[in-house]
Amino acid sequence: MVSSNKDPREEVIQAWYMDDSNEDQRLPHHKEPKEFVSLDQLAELGVLSWKLDADNPDTDPELKKIREERGYSYLDVCEVCPEKLPNYEEKIKSFFEEHLHTDEEIRYCVAGSGYFDVRDRNEAWIRVLVKKGGLIILPAGIYHRFTLDESNYIKALRFFVGEPVWTPYNRPHDHLPARGQYIKTFVEKDVANHTVDATA
C-alpha cells in the first residue's frame, strides 16, 4: 500500500499562479501549463491556512484553540451572493480592487467557495481557492483582493481581535506602517535569506 503525504488542507484550499487574462474574474485563471503553489509557500508570504470541521464551528476544539491563541474575540457571519448581499455588483467590484488592511483578514468558509488573490514577492498574482472547511488568514499589509467563483456563493465566518475594522486601503498605500511591517517581515527577510544562500 502506498502511503500518501498529501496535506489534508489541500482538500479545501488550493493555490496557483494566475494568467494575465481579463476574462470574467470568477473563472479559475490558471496559467498554461498550470503552476500550483504549495500551502507552505503561501505561509512564507504570511498567508496561514487550516482545514476545520465546517459543520460544527460552534463546538470545534481546533477552531476554539486558534481563536484563543490568536485573540479572535469578535465573530460574525458574511454571506456573499446576489440574493443576500445588498448592492451585490458594486460590492463584488469593490472586493476585487487590490487593497490591504492594517489588521489580519481572517475568513473561515463554512459553505460555498471563493478566491482570495495575493501578491507574491515579485508582484505576481497567486489565486487561493478556499472551499467549505478552509480557514485562511491574510497578514496585515499584504496586497490582496477577493472574488466569488462561478458558483456565486460563499458563507464565511469573519474573526477579529477586539472591535472589527474592515477598512480597505486601495493600492497604493505603501506609506502605511502595516505595509512597511509586512515588507520587513515577509519580503526583505526572504531576500536576505537568499543573499546569504548565494554567498554560502
Side-chain angles (χ1 to χ4, degrees):
M1 183 175 161
V2 179
S3 66
S4 170
N5 292 326
K6 187 171 167 65
D7 187 328
R9 295 175 298 168
E10 290 176 2
E11 294 169 27
V12 293
I13 301 172
Q14 290 108 36
W16 56 84
Y17 277 104
M18 292 183 71
D19 64 20
D20 297 323
S21 160
N22 289 322
E23 282 187 278
D24 187 340
Q25 66 194 47
R26 296 168 306 158
L27 295 172
H29 285 279
H30 276 289
K31 285 187 157 193
E32 193 54 58
K34 294 178 179 176
E35 192 177 339
F36 288 94
V37 176
S38 74
L39 299 182
D40 288 341
Q41 287 172 286
L42 283 184
E44 290 172 10
L45 298 171
V47 178
L48 306 179
S49 54
W50 287 262
K51 180 190 178 192
L52 300 173
D53 179 4
D55 291 322
N56 300 289
D58 297 334
T59 56
D60 183 355
E62 193 171 355
L63 177 58
K64 183 173 184 251
K65 182 176 172 221
I66 292 166
R67 289 189 68 182
E68 286 174 354
E69 286 177 353
R70 302 184 74 88
Y72 299 151
S73 52
Y74 177 90
L75 159 67
D76 71 7
V77 180
C78 179
E79 272 187 289
V80 182
C81 62
E83 299 76 26
K84 296 280 178 79
L85 188 67
N87 304 318
Y88 173 76
E89 291 297 336
E90 187 183 311
K91 283 273 173 58
I92 282 296
K93 284 195 179 83
S94 73
F95 294 158
F96 202 60
E97 288 284 331
E98 185 176 2
H99 63 277
L100 59 77
H101 301 286
T102 55
D103 297 277
E104 289 180 335
E105 179 169 319
I106 308 105
R107 298 291 181 268
Y108 177 20
C109 179
V110 293
S113 52
Y115 294 125
F116 294 83
D117 299 340
V118 299
R119 293 281 193 187
D120 77 356
R121 294 185 181 93
N122 299 312
E123 294 287 311
W125 280 116
I126 296 172
R127 173 145 281 190
V128 185
L129 170 63
V130 181
K131 299 190 281 192
K132 178 182 175 181
L135 183 149
I136 187 170
I137 299 176
L138 305 181
I142 192 172
Y143 281 119
H144 65 284
R145 62 191 183 189
F146 170 79
T147 186
L148 290 175
D149 58 19
E150 291 172 281
S151 70
N152 280 319
Y153 180 74
I154 190 169
K155 181 178 181 180
L157 305 186
R158 305 191 298 180
F159 300 95
F160 206 83
V161 178
E163 282 301 304
V165 181
W166 311 121
T167 310
Y169 295 94
N170 287 356
R171 192 167 192 171
H173 262 87
D174 294 351
H175 62 282
L176 290 178
R179 180 61 183 169
Q181 188 58 52
Y182 178 80
I183 296 284
K184 189 175 171 185
T185 306
F186 295 106
V187 179
E188 290 175 354
K189 180 185 81 169
D190 185 70
V191 171
N193 288 346
H194 281 97
T195 305
V196 171
D197 291 343
T199 56

